[in-house]
Amino acid sequence: MKGVTPMENEKYLHAMRHSLAHIMASAVKRLWPEAKFGVGPVIDDGFYYDIDLGQSLSPEDFAKIEAEMRTIITEDQPFERFEKPIDEAIVWATEAKQPYKLELLNDLKRAGTTSAKDLDAEELGIPSDESKVENVSFYRNGDFTDLCRGPHVESTGKVGAFKLMKVAGAYWRGKEGNPQMQRLYGAAFATEKELRQHLAMLEEAKKRDHRKLGQELDLFTFSDLVGPGLPMYTPRGTVIIEEIKNALRQISKEFDMQLVSIPHLAKIDLYKTSGHADKFSEELFTVKSHYDQEFVLKPVNCPHHTQIYASRPRSYRDLPLRYIEQTMQYRDEKPGQIGGLQRTRGFTVDDGHTFCRVDQIDQEASMLVEVIQQFYENLGLWGKHWVSFSVRDPKNPAAYIGDPSDWERAEAMLAEVSERYHLNAKRMEGEAAIYGPKLDFMFQDALGRETQLATVQLDFAMPKRFGLTYTDESGESQPPVMIHRAILGSFERFIMLLIEHFAGKFPLWLAPEQLRIITVNQTEEIAGMAAQLKTKAKELDIRVLVDNDNESVGKKIRTTELMKVPYVVVLGEKEVESGKLTPRIRKDLSTREEAQSYTVEEFLGTLANEAKSRVTKTSL
RNA sequence: GCCACCUUAGCUCAGUUGGUAGAGCAGCGGUUUUGUAAACCGCAGGUCGUCGGUUCGAGCCCGACAGGUGGCUCCA
């Protein structure tokens, strides 16, 4: 693409990908004349088209479809644009036996404008403003005609490199009750080279998949006997969890947060009061007592925390009260949702609830945003995220609890905090929690899938439902406000993100094993020095292992490389004689070109120091 | 939950048109005593995810279930 501006290139990519969606649809139509089409938009790396064939497609059909697409590309059919009044378009959709297009057109006619967001404006031949719809546009290539706003490339021969990637079920218009269509995905780029690079990038991403690394680095495991969605951490994985817990506890202390502790189940009545039982009944694990009571495993911790608040009278002078804990919660997720550490049935959260006065909301929410920002900055993750300002769906008020006026106030306050900290938050309607608006901090996994970690949620509703109060300056009883918050969200997701972010090469303070001592041979002197070194390292809280196996040094080094151990020292005659060590440092940690020698004390002292510089010390 | 695909040793994978299972690594034993990414020899390890069906005969064909993967939907 010589002499083409990035903007023009972007436009071409979009038009070309969209054209490929049409070409794919044409090919499918030739192969299966009965095919009914849904929508076929452009996505980040290519395009897809939703198709109802009355039968399932499988990857085995890809070769056939791709071959047909190449035929159409060789035919170099021009893309012709034309317009029809909406009523004629409806006649067209009826005659062409395209019920999905017909539904879109009918909805469009009824709505009258493009303002209704779920009308897939891009798919329809309509302008993207609020103007009255009169005409809709079509594009035709060969004998295939599709409702479409365009633009397209001139002809089918003008598209770039593509590859059909996958097929998946997708509900028509994203609604679970609707028929399921086949969504055919394709990757497309301007050149073969870019396509190859993209495919290579996907292969690379798979290598840092936390499920693969979790197995290779011996961090966590699943068992069919224990059950799906129930991860277990090995000793190595648990080290990481514990280090993070320690860091969080350190932060908590510095910000006057108080650790609390609650049991993992409660009577269902607790969640009837909170409102969770109604909205999330399907996801509750129920536990039957022998004595006529029904319990549920806690799916959240806020109701328990309200009962700690309620355990004694509170004064305005007591507030804010910041309860936090690191605890496991349980949700009976649908089998199809579970996967790796991204969504599990039991997961540990760093949950916290601040009870405060309305005039303290700003300060409390601001503090949390600051803590979150610092925490992620220090792990190098800040900037790899976006913030969702999640508010109510105005069309579905029944999905929420609490007064509308409280909601408005809460939304305004959070918006202000978000503004002040330049969070660049995207307003997401319908993404709020049942009890209030929230700021969600979203991150991407190795394969580009989004996941929510940190969150700050305002809640005027739940304290009222539990009848929580404090006594204000004039002796009046007032409901407190609750702020639900998490810094890392769930440990499972957070660990997933860390594994993939570092590709398993954890910073020293998180590394399950910080130092490995390798012996050159099994003589007594060397083994003795190894044992001594290990003892000294352990005294300094360095996580250390000795490899005194009867194997070559090369082999032992290779093992430490594969396990991504940060520091390795080899002990042989040389070291025994000189008493000096020449550490081998994992590449990403080493700033020096050449290996340097240290006395045992120097080396261990430096290492112990570096290992302490965890996220809290530098930041908070 | 829905659609598609996958499941062979602890791990990564072979396994011809259906004729009764193989490799490398890891493990264990021995030889070797090793200097910065894989020493050598041997041994052991599998009701081919489970159950049922077709067949003279099933790792291979069919079905159900379980588990996993990619999406969709959901996510307090």
Side-chain angles (χ1 to χ4, degrees):
Chain A
M1 302 302 298
K2 222 175 19 185
V4 173
T5 66
M7 182 83 103
E8 282 166 343
N9 190 40
E10 202 51 43
K11 271 188 181 164
Y12 166 71
L13 256 187
H14 192 276
M16 170 289 262
R17 284 169 172 166
H18 202 161
S19 299
L20 272 164
H22 278 226
I23 291 168
M24 181 168 71
S26 322
V28 168
K29 184 87 178 153
R30 281 188 183 180
L31 295 165
W32 293 274
E34 298 304 304
K36 296 172 180 58
F37 297 95
V39 297
V42 170
I43 52 175
D44 274 355
D45 62 351
F47 58 93
Y48 71 75
Y49 216 119
D50 283 348
I51 303 166
D52 179 355
L53 285 180
Q55 66 166 79
S56 291
L57 276 175
S58 85
E60 287 165 27
D61 300 310
F62 286 5
K64 222 170 14 177
I65 299 170
E66 278 190 10
E68 199 59 50
M69 288 173 73
R70 292 193 200 286
T71 306
I72 292 168
I73 290 168
T74 311
E75 287 167 11
D76 200 19
Q77 306 164 350
F79 278 104
E80 299 167 58
R81 181 180 194 279
F82 61 93
E83 290 191 5
K84 276 183 197 289
I86 192 152
D87 287 316
E88 282 180 38
I90 287 171
V91 172
W92 165 82
T94 311
E95 283 174 356
K97 295 193 179 122
Q98 291 296 334
Y100 300 104
K101 302 285 183 191
L102 181 63
E103 186 184 322
L104 290 175
L105 285 164
N106 278 329
D107 280 5
L108 179 63
K109 190 183 173 191
R110 202 173 319 123
T113 71
T114 60
S115 59
K117 277 190 187 130
D118 57 342
L119 284 180
D120 307 294
E122 178 167 338
E123 276 318 294
L124 300 167
I126 50 176
S128 58
D129 57 31
E130 303 268 323
S131 63
K132 190 94 179 141
V133 174
E134 280 159 10
N135 285 338
V136 292
S137 64
F138 288 80
Y139 277 81
R140 177 166 51 214
N141 60 287
D143 51 9
F144 181 78
T145 301
D146 198 3
L147 186 63
C148 177
R149 195 174 67 189
H152 283 279
V153 292
E154 280 164 48
S155 63
T156 57
K158 298 279 192 296
V159 295
F162 74 97
K163 182 177 191 295
L164 294 193
M165 299 296 286
K166 55 195 175 194
V167 58
Y171 299 107
W172 166 236
R173 304 184 87 172
K175 297 215 177 71
E176 204 168 351
N178 283 346
Q180 197 160 41
M181 310 181 74
Q182 310 294 314
R183 179 168 296 177
L184 261 173
Y185 287 90
F189 289 85
T191 61
E192 280 291 342
K193 192 179 160 201
E194 285 166 277
L195 177 63
R196 272 202 310 275
Q197 281 171 348
H198 177 71
L199 297 176
M201 191 271 290
L202 289 180
E203 284 305 307
E204 277 306 303
K206 273 190 205 158
K207 287 187 194 158
R208 54 168 70 204
D209 187 313
H210 74 283
R211 289 164 298 197
K212 183 172 151 66
L213 286 171
Q215 152 72 21
E216 288 172 0
L217 302 180
D218 189 19
L219 300 175
F220 59 88
T221 188
F222 291 90
S223 151
D224 282 359
L225 274 177
V226 174
L230 299 168
M232 290 169 286
Y233 297 95
T234 61
R236 283 178 173 267
T238 305
V239 166
I240 299 173
I241 301 261
E242 286 302 310
E243 282 298 336
I244 292 168
K245 279 190 180 173
N246 289 339
L248 285 172
R249 286 179 181 210
Q250 184 61 34
I251 292 171
S252 310
K253 263 194 241 167
E254 290 168 26
F255 284 88
D256 288 326
M257 299 168 181
Q258 297 171 292
L259 275 174
V260 293
S261 188
I262 62 176
H264 288 206
L265 32 68
K267 280 158 61 183
I268 181 105
D269 311 64
L270 182 68
Y271 302 102
K272 284 183 182 157
T273 306
S274 71
H276 290 100
D278 268 351
K279 183 151 185 206
F280 300 105
S281 59
E282 306 254 299
E283 283 80 32
L284 294 179
F285 276 114
T286 57
V287 181
K288 258 219 146 56
S289 162
H290 290 287
Y291 307 101
D292 271 352
Q293 268 179 329
E294 189 167 317
F295 291 88
V296 297
L297 287 174
K298 66 182 166 80
V300 288
N301 306 299
C302 26
H304 278 93
H305 287 182
T306 66
Q307 297 312 291
I308 298 176
Y309 180 94
S311 65
R312 52 197 309 135
R314 306 291 180 181
S315 145
Y316 70 96
R317 277 188 292 251
D318 297 333
L319 304 182
L321 283 172
R322 309 183 187 96
Y323 295 159
I324 62 150
E325 68 176 312
Q326 294 144 14
T327 181
M328 190 161 260
Q329 55 192 40
Y330 310 87
R331 296 177 186 178
D332 196 5
E333 300 285 356
K334 296 177 189 169
Q337 324 285 28
I338 293 169
L341 296 181
Q342 144 67 26
R343 188 86 75 95
T344 58
R345 282 189 158 127
F347 57 102
T348 304
V349 289
D350 70 312
D351 206 1
H353 299 94
T354 298
F355 297 87
C356 65
R357 297 180 249 124
V358 171
D359 63 285
Q360 292 170 322
I361 290 174
D362 192 271
Q363 161 206 327
E364 290 301 308
S366 300
M367 177 189 97
L368 291 168
V369 168
E370 264 175 54
V371 172
I372 289 165
Q373 179 168 350
Q374 287 297 318
F375 187 79
Y376 285 91
E377 250 172 23
N378 281 279
L379 282 162
L381 292 167
W382 194 256
K384 300 199 161 192
H385 74 294
W386 66 275
V387 180
S388 167
F389 176 35
S390 307
V391 298
R392 281 166 304 172
D393 178 359
K395 279 178 277 174
N396 190 10
Y400 309 95
I401 59 176
D403 297 339
S405 62
D406 283 344
W407 272 88
E408 269 162 44
R409 199 146 51 125
E411 287 182 6
M413 292 178 118
L414 264 195
E416 206 187 309
V417 172
S418 150
E419 196 84 348
R420 179 145 19 91
Y421 285 88
H422 308 291
L423 296 183
N424 250 326
K426 215 160 110 191
R427 192 184 166 87
M428 303 292 285
E429 282 187 356
E431 296 292 318
I434 45 172
Y435 44 72
K438 48 184 186 156
L439 293 171
D440 289 327
F441 296 74
M442 313 294 291
F443 293 79
Q444 285 192 349
D445 75 0
L447 298 170
R449 292 173 295 201
E450 286 192 341
T451 204
Q452 177 211 311
L453 294 178
T455 186
V456 177
Q457 316 180 348
L458 279 195
D459 179 2
F460 289 95
M462 206 180 290
K464 289 182 184 167
R465 287 177 77 105
F466 281 103
L468 305 184
T469 59
Y470 67 90
T471 307
D472 70 12
E473 297 91 319
S474 45
E476 300 282 314
S477 191
Q478 299 286 351
V481 180
M482 239 172 129
I483 303 176
H484 308 241
R485 44 113 281 180
I487 296 169
L488 53 78
S490 96
F491 278 74
E492 281 67 22
R493 279 185 188 176
F494 190 74
I495 296 280
M496 167 189 89
L497 197 84
L498 282 185
I499 293 172
E500 298 187 351
H501 172 68
F502 292 119
K505 291 184 216 123
F506 294 103
L508 195 60
W509 70 281
L510 283 174
E513 177 186 350
Q514 294 165 321
L515 170 64
R516 178 149 335 169
I517 300 163
I518 288 177
T519 57
V520 172
N521 59 43
Q522 281 68 55
T523 59
E524 244 173 71
E525 292 78 23
I526 293 171
M529 186 177 182
Q532 253 184 16
L533 191 56
K534 180 183 174 184
T535 305
K536 283 184 186 163
K538 278 171 68 177
E539 279 166 10
L540 292 165
D541 279 330
I542 294 165
R543 294 185 286 268
V544 58
L545 279 183
V546 173
D547 185 351
N548 192 32
D549 284 358
N550 181 4
E551 293 285 354
S552 69
V553 172
K555 169 90 169 271
K556 294 183 187 180
I557 292 284
R558 180 180 148 81
T559 308
T560 65
E561 288 282 344
L562 293 175
M563 293 304 282
K564 306 185 199 300
V565 179
Y567 284 84
V568 179
V569 292
V570 176
L571 297 187
E573 307 294 337
K574 235 169 30 192
E575 285 73 20
V576 171
E577 270 170 40
S578 69
K580 289 213 166 186
L581 305 174
T582 312
R584 182 190 165 96
I585 306 169
R586 203 178 65 201
K587 278 200 194 77
D588 61 295
L589 294 172
S590 174
T591 50
R592 287 173 292 274
E593 290 289 311
E594 274 175 52
Q596 251 180 287
S597 293
Y598 303 87
T599 65
V600 169
E601 280 67 30
E602 276 171 357
F603 171 64
L604 290 180
T606 313
L607 184 51
N609 244 339
E610 277 179 45
K612 271 188 213 124
S613 67
R614 60 175 177 227
V615 64
T616 46
K617 192 186 164 197
T618 42
S619 56
L620 302 167

